[in-house]
Structures are given as C-alpha cells and as structure tokens.
Amino acid sequence: MGGFDFSNYARNAALQKQGFPQPQATSTGTTIVGCIFDGGVVIAADTRATSGEIVAEKNCQKLHYITPNIWCAGAGTAADTEFVTALISSQLELHSLSTGRKPRVVTCMTLVKQHLFRHQGHLGAYLVVAGVDPTGINLFTVHAHGSTDKLPYVTMGSGSLAAMSIFESQWQKNLTQEDAVKLCAEAILAGIFNDLGSGSNVNVGIITAEKTTIKRNFIIPNERVPKEQSYRFPRGTTAILKEQMISRAELRKYITIVDMTGKGTVEGDAMEVDA
Amino acid sequence: MAYLHTANIISDFPPSHHHHTSAGPFVQHQITPYTNNGGTILGITGEDFVVLAGDTRHSEGYSINSRTEKKVHRLGKESSLVLATVGFGADALDVVETMKRAVEDYKFHHNKEMSPPAAAQLLMTILYSNRFFPKYAYCILVGIHAGKGVLYSYDVVGSYSKSGERRAAAGAASDLIVPFLDNQVELKNQYVPYAWEEEIPVQPLPMEKVRRLVKDAFTSATERHIQVGDGLQIITVAASGVGWGVSEEMYELKKD
Amino acid sequence: MNHTPENWGRPRDDIYGFYDKSFLQNTGGAQQHTTRPVVTGTSVVALKYNGGVVMAADNLASYGSLARFTDIKRIKQVGDHTIVGAGGDISDMQYLFDKLLESVLIKEEYQNDGHALRAPHIYSYLARVLYNRRCKFNFLWNSILVAGYDDEKKPFLASADLLGTRFSSPALASGYGAQLAIPILRKIAPDEASVTKITKEQAIEAIKLCMKVLFYRDARSMNKYSLAVISEEGVDLTHGVALENESWKFAETVRGYGAQTV
C-alpha cells in the first residue's frame, strides 16, 4: 500500500514507555549563517560538535557539499545533516546528468524540504542551503519539519540568536564579497563566544557564478595554551598482568597474506610484522 | 560502547525554567526550584599547604551569565578556612554565607578561630539540616590544621569523610578531572618501571607541581566541557610557622 | 472522610451529598501559589560605562500573546543612588517596587542618620527576598537588574532571578536580551577593564541599538521604552522613549519563502 510508514515510531514510543531509553545522537550544537552579496553568497559555521555537555569534536566541518555550486551548512543531529545532504547531493547529480542541465538551488531546497516533511521532524536536520545557479543567487533555510525561508541573511542552530544579533545590528544592502565574509565570520564569532553549544573555529564558504571557495579554519580564535608539564610516562610504568608470546612462525596460523599480482605467491616469511 | 547523548537545539531553545508536562487537555506549567549553573571546583593538599581552585564561568542552559563569578570563598579575614561550592548558584552562595556567619559568630563567642575539623562538621550539619529540600551545592572545604593542609569534600546532603581527603573535584567536569587526579595525585595505575608488581609510592606533592596539575586539569576540562572556561581562580593556603598565608592567583581560560 | 484543608468547614458529602465546588477557582489544594506568570514584561538590558550604568526596558506588558498594556514602567528609581529594572510577572514586579522597596525606603528615611541605602544593599535585599520566596515554593516570577554608582566611584550592576540566582557582569540582560543583546554588548564591554574606556554616549548608543534588535526579533517587545542613566550626578530616568532608526531594507528584495520568485 502507498503512504509513508510510521509504525517504527509507535514501536519506539512503546519501548520508551517501558523504560527502554532511546539512543541519542551527536548534535552539532552549532552556529551556522548565510548572507548574500552582490555577485554571490557566503555561508559560515563554527566547528564544535557536542554530545550533551561534552565536546565531541573540536574542529568538525559543518559545510556540506551538494554540487560544486550548491553547499549546505547543517545544524541539529549530526548524522541527519550528513546523510540528508549526501542523499540530496546524489539525487541532484543524477538529475543533472539525466536533464543535461546545471543543478539549481531551488531544486535542492525543494528535495530537502519534501524529504524532511515526509519524516515529520524525526530527522533532526536544520540546514542553510546556499548556491549560485543559472537563475541567480539563492539562500534558503530549511527546518527539520520541512518549512523553508528565503532571506538575504539567515542563521540557524543554538547560536542562531547570537549570530542574528550581529546581522540585525550590522547588515546593510549591496554588500561586497569582502564585507559579506567579514559579517558572516563576525556572526559565527558571536555564536562561538556567547553560545555554549558553539565553539572553536570559523569555517567559511564563498559561492559565486565563477567558482566556490571553501576556507577551512578561516579564523582560529581559540588555540589551546601549551600544557604546564609533560605527561609522558617512563617505559615500563604500566603493569603487565598476563604475557603471551606468539612466534613469527606461529603467526601463520592466524593470518596469511597472499600476493596476487601475478609474480607468484609470496611466502609468509616476507610478510611484514611489527617488531 | 555507550550511545552519545544529544540536546535537540531547536526544540529546547531557548532554555526555559519551566517544563511543560501534558496532562489531558490542560497544559500545566511547572517550575523547578533548582537550576544548574555549571562550573567545576578542584582541591589538592600538599604536606603543609592546600590548593583550592574553581573556574569563573556562571552559566544557565546554553548561555553564559558571567565570565567572572568566583566560586572559591575565604570564610574569614583571619581564618585559614576556604570553601568552594558548585551546583545551583543561589544555594551555593547561601551555604557560603551561612558558613561565613557561623565562622564570624564563633570568633565573637570564643575569641579564637574555628578549626577546620569543627568547620567541617558544621558544614555537614548545615547541609544535612536541609535533608528533605537539599541545598544543591557540592562543597570542598580546606584549611590549615596543626600545620598541615586539610581538605574535606561533601555531597549535597552533607556526607563527608572526617579524616579528610588528599584531593577532590566537584561540578560539571568532575567526571573528567577525577580520573586525572587518581593517576597524577594518587599515582593509580603507575608502577615502578620494570618492577612489575611494585606500585609507585604516593608522596605529598610540592606546591609548584600541584599548581601545574590544577592548571592542566582546568585547561583540559575547558577543551572538552562546554560549561567550563573563562577564568580560573586558584587559592593557596600555606602553613608558615604557627600561622598561615593565603594567596590568590587568577589565570585566563578559553572563552568559547 | 476527606480531611484535606479545602474541605474544612464544608458540609460533609456523606451526609449532605456532593458539595458543588465549581464556584471555587482553586480545587487542587489548600493554598495555591503563583504557578505561572500572567501579565509579563520582556527583557531588561544594561551596560556599565566609565561613569555609571545605562539601563533600558520597554513599556509593554503582555497578556500571553496579547499586547495588553503599552505604558508600563519597568525601571524604578530607588532612592538617589539606585535603579532597578524588572522583567517577568508585572504584578509581582509591582509588589516588589511599590510594596517592598517603598517601605524599605521609608524605614531608611525615618532613621535620618545620614546613611542611605545604595545599589549593593538594595541588590542584596531583593536577591534575598527572591531566594526566600523560592525556598517557600512561592516564587516572585521576576528577573531583575540592579544598577548604581557606588561610594568608591565605581559602577555597580548585578542580576537576580526568581530562583535567587545572583551574578554580576559589565553587561547584563534578562529574557531574550540574554540571547540577542548580550553578544552586542559583550563586544563593547568584554571585561571590567574595558568599562573604563566606554563613554556615556557610547553606552547609550549601544543600549539603543540593543532595544532596536530586540524589537526586530522579540515578538513580545514594543518600540517604546524606558531609558535610565545612573552616574555620580544621580539618576536620569526617561519613560516613553521612541525607538529610532528602524530599517526594513532587507524586505525590499524578499519574494516568497521557497520556489516562488515574483
């Protein structure tokens, strides 16, 4: 039968009611922004990924490739942003090949929103979709439930208000590329320093009709100071509870590597083993 | 492997005091009398001194309230007692103020300073007297007693070890710091090289080494815990002759 | 038989039949405390400068999503040396301002001992009242900012909320201000040292900018506010300041929200 199946949702709810905890995924915490300028669009992101209060990744990439001229910044559940962007990237590539045209940003945005709407918010992907195509410069946001927005400057994630405070106080019409990059970086920095879910570095992506430039670690404002002392332990500090020796000859019982390049099989003796 | 835990940023945002619990057709607003203001405290004793430190970030939800709120408090101008509290900021400050008053009253009544063992037991009494509406404040109390650095640490309802402890950590990043202290202060899992069965004997650490460990513990916690950062307040109480000296060092931590 | 207090003095059900309690608003227990704010005020923002503190709060009192009252004063001058700004429940705020603080001031004046309560004293008092009420599970549903200029000629600024949580910083804001105004204000005043370089004019300009950003993005805000400056000269408190220099330029090019282009 047609329609979309939500029976797994009912099962999960029933399990949760019985006290079986739902697995929880890594969240990107996140400040992400986008801003159009005369000639293109800039997107930017911080690089902190969190799992609860713990920093899971200090320098992760939240700018996702869709096509050479379309990129997404992702907030929310890390796995969902990763897979949704990869899925739509693949669909757009195939669509582009079958139509023989360059992919468009609206197409990307529509595919993403329809996919997310189908899943009724259970995919926690919050995206900024940006790109330049034959129709012009485009910038959208897509929420996990499938709603979209089209504005000259946008923010998303836990640091979205901090970032928006920068846009609302500094944005002006007809920005140059340089000013747009500066403004986006400033918005991300506001998230990094005022929102606990965001941190570390600023990544920037600039998309124009000619080319796309991704600047990883455009700003590194949070370098760790050197540690006060070394924590190298002298050799032999760790206790040996049990010792088992396996001779090189014996190793063949467990592993055999055969060279199939046509030069004949290599004897096990030639296999390299860590001393 | 344990599953990672997440906070759904959008639906939990902005973080609010009250939680909505659905009961039939009515939505009832509920308020909890507690909040978590983050931060971490850490204390290490030496032979004739004790170091007590805490970060200065005060937060709620994903917001930073202040970058300069101190968590380590001297309990009297003439006293060697120093108390650090972490947890719910209002309760933590209330416990500190109650202790400060008690130490002052003791001086007026007996014309001498309250001893650390006496203060330790008093703190237990104060915390336990709120057994059924606990002060959500994790405490570490230190001082100089008989020329030695002493340290006591408590749970929120007043449980503590009368004989004191060599080191303690509490608050947001205590889970990250305690294993580090186990290894570096108690020398757990360290053996005399190539003498496989023989553990490295635990000895009191020199003051400079303790300060280094404290800084490294906090810079590391800042790297991996979102509620730790901004500044580090390190208070050292050192015995000198029959008295003691108290010094404070402020150290910058990352602000992201 | 039901012994709970709300049944005290009522006819017994087993003798007289079921008692119709429908006229009672409260049927859940003996005494009900404020469990939620009703008429509310939004953010209060404040910034220290090299000679005092600037504070602002808009004049709106909301009843849920209804903009109910549009001329509410949420900043109060307390004596000659202190200002207090409040957000949250308006009736609780007016109780704090008109009942508690007024009687504190009258008592202090009666002493006539040449001593006056200053911002840190007012702050300690208010934070303690809030904390005591939370300990009785009977919250005063507010978050307040207290500002002053102390005897050592240093600006004073501190915050307290319904839980009794206390903290201080060169720039403070409650409600949505904590999300939208603080990032702007912290760029100007990242730490206490930077406060000495901020002039009164710069501080006022920054606070006005924050009120504009809050009006753009806080759906429970309005474009008319109270602005207060406290310095050595005393308190300069103006109600009904109109928001200036709004810009809606971004809207000119907006066409739809999705695939639509015209």
Side-chain angles (χ1 to χ4, degrees), chain A residues 24-25 52 55 58 200 231, chain B residues 4-6 216 220 223-224 256:
Chain A
Q24 300 261 300
V55 177
K58 293 192 275 191
S200 295
Y231 292 93
Chain B
L4 297 171
H5 196 79
T6 190
D216 282 347
S220 301
E223 289 294 305
R224 287 292 174 178
D256 67 340

Side-chain angles (χ1 to χ4, degrees), chain A residues 22-30 48 50-58 76-77 121 124 126 143 156-161 192-201 222-231 233-241 243, chain B residues 3-11 13-14 36 57 59-64 67 172 176 180 183-184 189-197 200 208-217 219-228 230 251-252 254-256:
Chain A
Q22 292 295 302
Q24 300 261 300
T26 308
S27 140
T28 51
T30 301
R48 174 181 282 182
T50 54
S51 31
E53 298 163 348
I54 299 296
V55 177
E57 254 264 35
K58 293 192 275 191
T77 308
Y126 297 83
H143 283 250
M156 278 259 190
S158 56
S160 61
L161 278 82
I192 286 174
F193 289 113
N194 295 289
D195 168 42
L196 296 186
S198 311
S200 295
N201 310 131
N222 285 298
E223 271 180 285
R224 197 221 221 267
V225 294
K227 283 201 266 288
E228 295 280 314
Q229 64 171 80
S230 163
Y231 292 93
F233 298 104
R235 223 173 235 277
T237 303
T238 303
I240 293 177
L241 302 177
E243 211 171 321
Chain B
Y3 286 106
L4 297 171
H5 196 79
T6 190
N8 188 323
I9 304 310
I10 303 301
S11 62
F13 194 78
N36 180 7
R57 176 172 289 179
S59 65
E60 187 167 359
Y62 279 109
S63 295
I64 296 168
R67 299 194 195 275
L176 302 181
F180 173 69
N183 183 240
Q184 291 294 315
N189 297 97
Q190 285 194 255
Y191 293 81
V192 176
Y194 301 107
W196 308 120
E197 306 267 294
I200 295 178
E208 280 316 306
K209 166 114 180 171
V210 168
R211 288 220 186 97
R212 286 202 298 272
L213 290 179
V214 166
K215 285 176 187 171
D216 282 347
T219 52
S220 301
T222 302
E223 289 294 305
R224 287 292 174 178
H225 199 108
I226 64 171
Q227 293 169 341
V228 180
D230 292 332
Y251 182 82
E252 291 282 305
K254 280 167 61 174
K255 285 159 184 68
D256 67 340

